[in-house]
Amino acid sequence: MKSGLMKAAVSGLLLLLLSGCSFISDPVSLMTPPDLPADKATLMGAIKAQLPENSNIIRPRSDSGPSSIRVEDLNNDGVMEAVVFYKTPNEEVQIHGMLLQQQGNTWIKKLDFDGEGTVLESFDLTDITNDGMVDIVAGFSRGEENLQNGLVVYTFSGDSLEKVLQLPYTHFELTDLNGDDIQELTIVSLQKYELSFITTFQFDKNANQFIELAKLDLGQNVEKYYNIVSGQVAKGKEGIILDTSIVSNSSTSKLIVMEDGVLVDVLKEDGAFKMLPVDSQDIDGDGILEIGLIKTPIGWEDKPPNEIPYFQSYYQWDGKTHMASEKEGLKFVTQRYQDSENQFYLTFPSEWHNKVTVHPDSDKNRYLNFVRTDTGDTVAEVKFFSLPEWEDAKDEWNVLVRKKDQVIGYKGEFKLTRNDKKNNSDVAPIERKGK
């Protein structure tokens, strides 16, 4: 899609997509101070003085950090700018941005600009146009799960703000899939069970516009993407892993890389199929992302699926094999047990792969006895206690998770870990990992 036509088409589409709905406002008191001589109270005071009546500062829905306000030298002139979004719920255009400049020990409002839709999904300051100046990259939606969001890239000249790109998207990421050390914009688009594709754009300085580098059809059997990560997927190779819900709770993963300017899914069609969702991630902290699969513990093969305490096994792509699967191209990294409510996990040493199982008398919702397959010896135990039961047992067990009406205890050779990661059912922009 070329510049003029693309901008016109997507601008029209965004007008149809983005309207009506609500958003949870951000507490102003959570602002993180900018790393500047000016005190945060001075900046906040300048912002509050310029906010319209009945408006409130908002932060991106995808951002778990405390700051609603971003501070950067946008146009590389040595003067710091601050960017903040706010909402006017009673107006036709509900989301707006405010840009301020630092002047000595004060902040002066430079301009306001309109956003799209009713929810600020994401907000980043980064040089996506690769001109040495920082751009504003913002995602908007109308807050409804099955509708496309709208991505807008703004660039600041020093006096005015220009929209240099406007696109519908489901998820997006800043990438360098072709390895040219120039940042790209990769868009994932999805219409449930109808179409899904991934497209990589890059800003062309000569044409002064974003151009499409590559596009890949991801098929029609996608319900949603429940987890997306990008970064190193093999040594020296960047890619994107899309963990994909396909039927009911079943899922698969797609591992997308760019080779000779073409986007390729290097996994075999059913090479990452799993009965339950598993988040792909950099599980071992080596800077390279792994694909998560589900494994049935030894001895549980004939049990009903809803009773099985499945293990999560993680594999790393070898960086060269196409049609990769466990049999070829995917190398085992580690295995762990994570409970069905994602409250805790137990990671096994890699040398214990296929040498640890759960005793068949266990109940994953009451008591889990992890044993060695060669000796039958217990290596760890997990038990779910009511509060009165815990009072009688607490001298023999360690607290793993304490809840209002329950305590999960453990004991044994290997320490279990409480899982404090927020459990989101959907992803907004892609979380970048493994770099």
Side-chain angles (χ1 to χ4, degrees):
M1 194 182 293
K2 301 301 179 184
S3 172
L5 291 175
M6 182 175 74
K7 289 183 179 178
V10 299
S11 296
L13 180 58
L14 285 173
L15 289 175
L16 293 174
L17 291 172
L18 301 173
S19 62
C21 219
S22 62
F23 185 69
I24 300 173
S25 64
D26 169 57
V28 173
S29 62
L30 291 178
M31 181 189 134
T32 295
D35 186 16
L36 293 170
D39 184 82
K40 66 174 183 178
T42 303
L43 175 55
M44 179 56 72
I47 292 171
K48 293 176 73 172
Q50 296 293 335
L51 283 176
E53 189 176 354
N54 298 320
S55 66
N56 52 274
I57 295 173
I58 57 176
R59 72 155 161 238
R61 182 157 66 174
S62 66
D63 186 4
S64 59
S67 179
S68 306
I69 303 165
R70 311 292 164 83
V71 178
E72 190 70 66
D73 180 2
L74 296 180
N75 58 334
N76 206 23
D77 64 352
V79 178
M80 302 301 287
E81 280 83 29
V83 182
V84 63
F85 281 90
Y86 62 93
K87 187 170 184 178
T88 54
N90 299 324
E91 296 182 3
E92 183 176 353
V93 178
Q94 295 192 21
I95 295 183
H96 313 267
M98 182 189 302
L99 191 152
L100 302 92
Q101 283 186 331
Q102 186 184 19
Q103 295 185 8
N105 293 325
T106 63
W107 291 86
I108 305 298
K109 186 175 84 168
K110 188 71 177 180
L111 54 85
D112 287 296
F113 58 99
D114 290 340
E116 306 284 346
T118 59
V119 174
L120 178 64
E121 292 286 348
S122 61
F123 168 28
D124 272 309
L125 300 182
T126 185
D127 181 13
I128 189 61
T129 54
N130 301 297
D131 60 359
M133 294 188 289
V134 178
D135 307 297
I136 302 171
V137 182
F140 305 96
S141 79
R142 54 182 285 182
E144 298 181 21
E145 179 181 347
N146 293 324
L147 294 181
Q148 291 273 6
N149 302 328
L151 175 70
V152 183
V153 177
Y154 307 86
T155 185
F156 180 59
S157 66
D159 294 309
S160 62
L161 201 66
E162 176 189 2
K163 288 182 183 179
V164 294
L165 182 69
Q166 202 168 353
L167 280 175
Y169 78 100
T170 303
H171 313 289
F172 75 88
E173 178 58 296
L174 308 178
T175 59
D176 181 19
L177 298 181
N178 61 2
D180 64 355
D181 295 324
I182 299 176
Q183 196 164 226
E184 309 145 352
L185 184 64
T186 296
I187 303 289
V188 179
S189 299
L190 171 67
Q191 292 181 21
K192 183 178 178 180
Y193 297 138
E194 293 185 18
L195 62 86
S196 182
F197 55 88
I198 183 170
T199 312
T200 298
F201 298 91
Q202 194 172 72
F203 192 79
D204 187 314
K205 294 180 182 179
N206 294 326
N208 196 36
Q209 64 186 24
F210 282 87
I211 61 171
E212 182 182 303
L213 294 183
K215 185 175 183 177
L216 176 64
D217 188 345
L218 298 173
Q220 297 180 324
N221 66 335
V222 177
E223 179 182 352
K224 69 177 181 179
Y225 296 107
Y226 63 87
N227 177 59
I228 300 178
V229 286
S230 76
Q232 296 290 310
V233 293
K235 189 173 182 179
K237 189 75 173 178
E238 181 160 332
I240 296 176
I241 302 176
L242 302 97
D243 294 325
T244 309
S245 294
I246 46 178
V247 178
S248 183
N249 236 5
S250 299
S251 69
T252 188
S253 293
K254 303 175 186 293
L255 198 166
I256 311 300
V257 298
M258 185 179 289
E259 296 182 347
D260 298 322
V262 177
L263 291 173
V264 180
D265 182 1
V266 299
L267 295 180
K268 190 176 179 180
E269 184 175 355
D270 60 350
F273 177 81
K274 38 220 163 192
M275 294 295 294
L276 296 170
V278 183
D279 287 0
S280 298
Q281 57 187 292
D282 179 11
I283 193 72
D284 59 352
D286 67 348
I288 299 177
L289 297 165
E290 284 82 32
I291 295 164
L293 300 179
I294 285 290
K295 296 296 177 183
T296 300
I298 295 171
W300 288 78
E301 292 80 5
D302 297 327
K303 299 278 189 177
N306 65 325
E307 296 181 8
I308 298 175
Y310 290 102
F311 289 173
Q312 297 177 349
S313 294
Y314 290 85
Y315 295 79
Q316 196 174 98
W317 182 48
D318 64 9
K320 56 185 179 181
T321 303
H322 285 208
M323 302 292 289
S325 67
E326 288 181 67
K327 295 181 179 179
E328 183 180 10
L330 295 181
K331 175 186 175 183
F332 174 78
V333 174
T334 193
Q335 188 175 68
R336 74 182 190 180
Y337 174 78
Q338 180 167 298
D339 73 300
S340 57
E341 294 185 14
N342 300 328
Q343 299 172 98
F344 64 89
Y345 57 87
L346 170 61
T347 301
F348 306 117
S350 59
E351 63 270 19
W352 280 37
H353 184 215
N354 290 329
K355 295 181 180 178
V356 174
T357 188
V358 178
H359 193 281
D361 291 339
S362 298
D363 180 337
K364 67 178 183 180
N365 297 314
R366 295 177 181 272
Y367 171 73
L368 289 159
N369 183 13
F370 297 90
V371 298
R372 292 188 55 155
T373 57
D374 53 354
T375 65
D377 293 340
T378 295
V379 296
E381 296 174 86
V382 177
K383 193 170 184 178
F384 297 75
F385 296 91
S386 67
L387 296 185
E389 289 172 338
W390 176 250
E391 287 302 313
D392 294 333
K394 63 183 179 181
D395 292 337
E396 299 179 18
W397 293 77
N398 299 302
V399 176
L400 180 60
V401 178
R402 186 185 295 275
K403 302 166 69 175
K404 185 166 58 176
D405 58 352
Q406 185 185 64
V407 175
I408 303 175
Y410 79 92
K411 60 182 176 180
E413 183 175 344
F414 290 101
K415 182 177 180 180
L416 286 93
T417 305
R418 175 172 177 157
N419 189 3
D420 292 320
K421 180 180 178 182
K422 184 181 288 187
N423 183 23
N424 292 326
S425 59
D426 300 290
V427 290
I430 302 168
E431 181 181 3
R432 185 174 186 80
K433 295 181 178 179
K435 286 292 278 184

